[in-house]
Amino acid sequence: MAKVLEGPGMGLMKKWGIHVPNYVVVTSAEELTKLGQANEWLKHSKLVAKAHEALGSRFKLGLVKVGLDLNGAIAATKEMVGRQVGSITVTQVIISEMIAHKEEYYCAVKSTREGSEVLVANCGGIEVESNWDRVKRLTLEIGQQPSPEALEKVAKEAGFTGPLSKKMADFAGKMFICFDNEDAQYLEVNPVVTRESDGELVALDAVTLLDGDAKFRHPDWNFQFAAEFGRAYSKNEMEVMAVDSKIKGSVKFIEIPGGDTAMLPAGGGASVYYSDAVVARGGKLANYAEYSGDPPDWAVEVLTEKVCTLPGIKNIIVGGAIANFTDVKKTFGGIINGFRKAKADGKMKDVKIWVRRGGPREKEGLDAMRALKDEGFDIHVFDRNTPLTDIVDKALQKQ
Amino acid sequence: MSILVNKDTRVVIQGGQAGVNAARRMAEFCYLIKRPLNVEAFVYPPDAGKTNEIPYGSGLIAIPIYKTIAEATKNHSTINTSLVYIGADRAMKGGMEALDDSHIKVVSMITEGVPEKDAKILGAHARKLGKVFNGPSSIGIVSAGACRLGVIGGAFDNLVLSKLYREGSFGVITKSGGLSNEIIWICSQFADGITTAIGIGGDAFPGTDYVSYLEMFENDPQTKAVVIVGEMGGDLEERAAEWYGAKKRRVKLMAVVSGFCQESLPKGMKFGHAGAKEGMKGEGSARAKSDALKKSGAIVPATFGALGPAIKDAYQEMLKSGQVKEPVEPVSLPKLPKTVEEAMKADEVMVAPLIRTTISDDRGDEPCYVGYPASELINKGYEIPHVVGLLWDKRLISKQEAEIIKRIMMLSADHGPCVSGALGTIIAACAGIGMSQSVAAGLIMIGPRFGGAVTDAGRYFKYAVDNKMTVDEFLVYMKKNHGPVPGIGHRVKSLRNPDKRVKELVGYVKSLNMKTPCLDFALEVEKITSVKKDNLILNVDGTMAAVLVDIGFPVDSLNGFFILSRTIGLIGHWVDQKRQDSRLIRLFDYLVNYAAPKRREVPPLK
């Protein structure tokens, strides 16, 4: 899943005929000043300025300003750009036109195992969250298009009446078309409002999750995907992602500040069991990591270096199940190189390494790990006869 | 018994090199269970019409490659299963092609990163047709003692260790590929092993879910218990729990679920598998799944580590109730033939080497010349002449010797376009011939009359010096046994018009504090011969030869100095002609003396 920020999200909706407010995404007050000279709506509308970053609670942070004129928006942009919130620096601000409205509604399309669901409610904003039972849904199988009648029926069920039910059905229909054509996994507009000037339904805010795996057939996805957990990716995380996008197999790395148990396990499945074991033992994870699909040794080496730079770590868990085709000796070679570099940089003091693994060339790989003892590493190596997560128990036992 | 794949499974693999690798793994399994290879064909349009060679035991089996599934099943009517291992962007089309073929009942897809929508379409299409679509991102399916589809089960040693050569009593369903192996191994160590293990893939919406497979296991009398390895995200585990709790089931259900760490991690964090993601409102959490499974009556150990003992308990119970009997292990199992490298490493074979080298070795991370790593030579200031010294005479020459060689090379690098070598290269270059052939055309000219006298000159001067001959004795010896003295004489240069290159080289070597018996002897020879005839001077070949013998190079290597140096010039001539885009050249008639008989009538053939 890949989250898309509001700007490109609204862009996709506009592409499929959904009304969205006029908006611009700028990186500086100067840029907005220039755009203001060229765009009439910026001069004459009431404006909203929001920090265009993957941040939660922007309102509370003062990163949303409403009811501005152009000068106010320029001032707000100046104030927001460059502001530091945790690990995120605000680099973009989205300026959109305020839409005068009274009623707020809700519309979403979400992916299900069978196909998708179109969700409609005749309340919006925070009201819908506390009245989830008012959300009505139309279930669709994969390949099935919602008929205008079915959409109108669900709109009526949700409490829309008169011409508005048809309008809402039309809006939901366009949402579905956008969802279907853009390989979306989740589209949510909250609120949908009636624009007082022309009576059209307009999407005021958009949550857009796309299927990153489908990028190959969307040449117009020229935007970056945003982190989904309320902070920007760190430099090290981005470097690992860059490696991941280049290689056969995969390497993954997410930092969790404040932890002391570093993870360097193999396998998308096993890595989670290792993380569970650390938490179950009362340990604090310093990161999530994973390598799989027989990645090249240099990629595992990069991952290892990043893991070793995590501050304050006491243990590194080099776990893994019995691999199918990942070459244990080769991937361990990358890890060993990474460890050596980290040690040369003075990073492995008071760090214990715990290894458990099986798979092609397991003996050679484990022997090479064991040999690190002679180089002064505090390393403990186990083979397939030690159950998967027992190294976590051993690592966290004596602390 | 088993489910999904068995002894009758005949496979077409859709894919290129990745598919070939899967076929190798499948062939290893077939070899272990002493059955013929179950891969009948490949479908891979770029290589259609060729074959892939799959190792089986110590031999190779040629498996044909077709352009389409229809062609494959037409030629191999027993095919009933497809394994898809093509790129994510082509996976849906390939999967659909396989599902739409009436011969094929099961399609398993290894490809990762397939768009969710495509996976859903494939899954729905398979259900509509009453077929099985397994995956995407599936490591494969293995039925112990019967069939391996995909790469599940790992390396050959692991197949043996996990007792996959014979049936056990446990079914396995996992999302994770690595963990499927782990569970198979656990079942073989804590119990009697598996019947069938299925990797359903870690995507959000796999083509077939736990429930469909649980139904199949329920109907397979050999399977007594099923182990599922779940993870947070989606609702497949909840559906499995619902199925298990709905009525009394014959099979025992055991499960572990991962993702409890999510409770103490940032919301929305992404794990290794695309599907491993908690819903917006906490649905699909590890705890919710685990609770649902427990409630349905499944055995859910608290940790992954506790799964082994739980499986052991379940197995002991089955043994006690007489539901299963202790398995009989085969007396012997086939051993996978070792490659020559592996066997040599294990000291099991001795191979008579085909060639022997005493100069270089590049088996490590860089070439070593007579044991010295190239990078170290560079970093310690050694240069090209030292490499020549190492590779031609297996020794590190001195700085002074290197300087002499460098000067020899600089003096002999080229001698204009008119000489035989350069002319040969230029004619070839103008005929549009490539560099290596054109340069070779020039090098071919090097011989007794052009540039190739260095070795012989060196040989005879050395012979004379070694045998302490006087110049007169030497000249008599040469006249009697070999003819003119190589290294003496020049077509255009003479005493009055000396060769500057010779003067330069002799002057430099003489200025050094080194012994030069050969050079001294050659100069003595020149004194005598040049009196007899003005142009019988010591030429550049002879000078080089004498100096190089004095440095200590072996006689057989001496022509090499000319060949090496002149190659620099020949390459230059080729590049020069190429850059000018020179046209084909042909000799002018006036440059030929036509001495053949005049045109005449051909007599009748007798």
Side-chain angles (χ1 to χ4, degrees), chain B residues 460-496:
Chain B
Y460 298 130
F461 289 146
K462 186 171 189 298
Y463 181 80
V465 172
D466 288 352
N467 290 288
K468 300 193 171 62
M469 286 176 168
T470 64
V471 173
D472 287 342
E473 283 165 356
F474 175 64
L475 290 174
V476 169
Y477 162 80
M478 288 303 291
K479 197 169 181 181
K480 195 176 156 202
N481 297 297
H482 304 289
V485 182
I488 295 288
H490 201 281
R491 263 189 84 165
V492 289
K493 303 283 179 191
S494 66
L495 261 190
R496 271 164 297 167

Side-chain angles (χ1 to χ4, degrees), chain B residues 295-374:
Chain B
K295 223 173 121 193
S296 75
I299 299 167
V300 187
T303 63
F304 193 91
L307 189 59
I311 287 174
K312 189 176 182 178
D313 289 348
Y315 178 61
Q316 292 302 330
E317 220 172 89
M318 291 173 197
L319 278 175
K320 216 182 275 172
S321 69
Q323 205 182 359
V324 298
K325 286 195 193 105
E326 290 272 12
V328 184
E329 299 295 344
V331 186
S332 73
L333 286 167
K335 285 207 171 76
L336 196 66
K338 289 194 168 91
T339 63
V340 174
E341 285 94 333
E342 287 164 348
M344 284 175 75
K345 229 180 186 172
D347 281 333
E348 285 172 5
V349 289
M350 206 181 85
V351 178
L354 189 62
I355 60 165
R356 176 170 182 266
T357 179
T358 63
I359 56 169
S360 79
D361 188 342
D362 80 329
R363 288 172 297 174
D365 51 358
E366 65 170 320
C368 285
Y369 306 140
V370 198
Y372 300 120

Side-chain angles (χ1 to χ4, degrees), chain A residues 226-356:
Chain A
E228 283 169 57
F229 42 88
R231 69 163 173 84
Y233 290 117
S234 73
K235 188 170 150 283
N236 281 348
E237 287 168 349
M238 288 208 273
E239 281 175 31
V240 174
M241 272 189 262
V243 170
D244 186 50
S245 67
K246 270 187 276 203
I247 56 163
K248 173 184 84 80
S250 81
V251 289
K252 301 245 152 56
F253 181 66
I254 297 290
E255 293 170 1
I256 306 169
D260 58 9
T261 305
M263 306 303 286
L264 187 49
S271 57
V272 185
Y273 279 98
Y274 277 104
S275 302
D276 282 357
V278 171
V279 172
R281 274 272 165 192
K284 287 192 82 182
L285 292 166
N287 70 306
Y288 170 76
E290 178 264 332
Y291 64 92
S292 56
D294 201 23
D297 51 357
W298 64 265
V300 186
E301 184 177 330
V302 171
L303 178 64
T304 305
E305 283 175 55
K306 303 300 176 203
V307 167
C308 292
T309 59
L310 291 164
I313 53 172
K314 296 194 180 104
N315 292 292
I316 300 179
I317 307 294
V318 186
I322 299 165
N324 285 289
F325 60 96
T326 295
D327 185 322
V328 175
K329 185 179 180 214
K330 183 186 76 178
T331 45
F332 272 15
I335 292 179
I336 289 169
N337 285 343
F339 282 161
R340 285 188 179 138
K341 272 192 198 163
K343 187 160 185 278
D345 293 347
K347 289 197 184 94
M348 302 298 279
K349 281 178 206 141
D350 308 317
V351 177
K352 289 188 169 66
I353 302 167
W354 303 85
V355 181
R356 188 274 184 188

Side-chain angles (χ1 to χ4, degrees), chain A residues 1 111-113 115 142 180 185 211 213 216-217 228-229 256 269 273 276 288 321-324 356 384-385 388, chain B residues 25 115-118 120 153-154 158 177 181-182 185 205-206 230 256 258-261 265 267 270 272 277:
Chain A
M1 259 202 244
S111 181
T112 64
R113 180 167 152 69
I142 189 75
D180 197 37
Q185 291 169 322
D211 182 353
D213 285 334
F216 67 82
R217 59 185 171 212
E228 283 169 57
F229 42 88
I256 306 169
Y273 279 98
D276 282 357
Y288 170 76
I322 299 165
N324 285 289
R356 188 274 184 188
R384 59 165 71 210
N385 291 304
L388 193 76
Chain B
R25 294 300 174 114
E116 201 174 288
K117 187 174 162 186
D118 298 5
K120 285 191 212 174
N158 190 60
N181 258 0
E182 192 70 28
W185 156 254
F205 302 110
V256 280
S258 71
F260 286 93
C261 60
L265 288 182
K267 279 261 175 246
K270 208 167 174 176
K277 194 168 174 302

Side-chain angles (χ1 to χ4, degrees), chain B residues 411-424 426 450 501 566 569-570 573:
Chain B
L411 291 171
S412 333
D414 195 53
H415 206 178
C418 299
V419 299
S420 308
L423 189 58
I426 289 169
F450 170 68
R501 295 175 301 172
R566 190 50 59 90
L570 297 181
H573 285 295

Side-chain angles (χ1 to χ4, degrees), chain A residues 22 39-48 67-71 73 95-99:
Chain A
N22 284 316
N39 291 279
E40 283 300 308
W41 68 267
L42 277 167
K43 287 183 216 161
H44 304 302
S45 319
K46 282 265 170 251
L47 302 171
V48 189
L68 309 168
D69 60 8
L70 181 56
N71 283 331
I95 313 294
S96 52
E97 159 196 30
M98 274 185 87
I99 303 289

